[in-house]
Amino acid sequence: MSQPNQAYSANLLIQAMSPEDLALLEPKFERVDLEVEQVLDDADQAIEYIYFPEGGIVSLVASGPDTSRTEVGIFGRDGVSGTAALLGTDRASTETFVQVDGTTALRVHVDDYRAAIEASPSLNALLLRYVQAALAQSVYSTMSNAHHNIEARLARWLLMCHDRLDSDDIKLTHEFMSMMIAAQRSGVTVCLHILEGNGMIRSRRSLVTILDREKLIDLAGDAYGKPEAEYRRLIGPFGHPSS
């Protein structure tokens, strides 16, 4: 697919829009700064704004009755917040917040967003294809958490983060990584040592550096690759050349 809007925004969904569809949203967009830990949507609260991130990583997090928190999805410049608004409801079932490297986003009020979607079947179709790609990610997250060991799960999530950033350095706390892969923090620490000992990463306090992406791909196995390929099939170019 062509990317006619690359100069306007780093967000891949914006780049995939036709000029006519972007023209529906552009007058309503506001470019805003995103800060780490900034909440974009609260669970079970009305969605006010839709965000198209231009960098960083945004987490979708579900909270259990015992205050436990589990990450159920991520997106960055490949995605958009507030998919519930596209699907006909006014609130999300998860909390959405900036987890890594807050940069900027194009923000639009949910009413203007819905009006643009209603005016353009092609815009609606593009965004629904994104929902399908996000669903594929969620499916493989569930499969990975159920069937892969902790090292493979962490390798997968590191690759997913790496796909969304321009740097080999990823600012990740142990708390975030434990939420990412549904594991105890002590298990994450051991796992990081294993990956580091095998030359895949370098781990320092709140910072992981990718050293050997191909080894991480081998370790992640069949949990990584298919959702990323689905995004490329449905939306456009995404991730690193080795993905």
Side-chain angles (χ1 to χ4, degrees):
M1 296 182 184
S2 62
Q3 305 293 315
N5 309 313
Q6 192 167 4
Y8 176 68
S9 176
N11 183 278
L12 301 183
L13 287 177
I14 298 292
Q15 292 180 15
M17 291 179 188
S18 69
E20 294 78 13
D21 287 342
L22 179 58
L24 294 172
L25 289 167
E26 187 173 1
K28 307 296 183 179
F29 273 142
E30 173 189 14
R31 183 168 273 112
V32 296
D33 292 328
L34 295 182
E35 303 295 335
V36 174
E37 299 186 357
Q38 178 181 344
V39 175
L40 305 185
D41 294 317
D42 278 312
D44 302 318
Q45 299 295 316
I47 297 169
E48 183 176 6
Y49 289 101
I50 304 296
Y51 294 83
F52 290 82
E54 296 179 305
I57 296 172
V58 177
S59 292
L60 304 173
V61 175
S63 297
D66 59 351
T67 71
S68 62
R69 305 173 81 217
T70 302
E71 186 182 72
V72 296
I74 67 171
F75 64 94
R77 60 190 175 195
D78 58 306
V80 62
S81 70
T83 54
L86 176 66
L87 299 175
T89 185
D90 67 341
R91 59 199 62 203
S93 57
T94 58
E95 181 185 15
T96 304
F97 69 97
V98 181
Q99 186 63 256
V100 177
D101 288 343
T103 53
T104 59
L106 291 174
R107 184 176 79 170
V108 59
H109 193 276
V110 67
D111 293 340
D112 294 322
Y113 181 66
R114 287 191 176 119
I117 291 168
E118 290 174 3
S120 173
S122 60
L123 178 60
N124 183 63
L126 170 67
L127 294 169
L128 286 175
R129 291 199 301 273
Y130 170 69
V131 173
Q132 170 62 22
L135 179 60
Q137 182 196 115
S138 179
V139 167
Y140 275 82
S141 293
T142 301
M143 184 271 287
S144 181
N145 286 341
H147 298 291
H148 289 89
N149 61 31
I150 184 173
E151 292 89 355
R153 299 204 308 267
L154 183 56
R156 173 179 182 263
W157 281 104
L158 290 174
L159 288 165
M160 291 172 66
C161 292
H162 195 217
D163 282 336
R164 290 162 173 83
L165 300 172
D166 292 322
S167 172
D168 292 334
D169 293 331
I170 308 172
K171 296 177 182 178
L172 294 170
T173 66
H174 284 207
E175 179 182 8
F176 176 41
M177 284 185 275
S178 67
M179 186 172 59
M180 286 165 61
I181 62 174
Q184 297 295 322
R185 290 180 63 177
S186 57
V188 169
T189 300
V190 172
C191 185
L192 286 170
H193 288 319
I194 293 172
L195 268 59
E196 189 167 25
N198 284 280
M200 301 177 191
I201 64 169
R202 180 170 61 249
S203 178
R204 289 169 284 173
R205 184 175 179 84
S206 301
L207 182 68
V208 174
T209 301
I210 305 298
L211 298 180
D212 194 324
R213 183 177 169 87
E214 291 299 330
K215 284 185 178 179
L216 287 173
I217 290 174
D218 288 342
L219 178 57
D222 59 4
Y224 176 79
K226 289 186 178 179
E228 291 71 27
E230 183 75 343
Y231 185 98
R232 289 190 286 271
R233 182 181 74 86
L234 294 171
I235 307 297
F238 170 68
H240 287 253
S242 62
S243 297

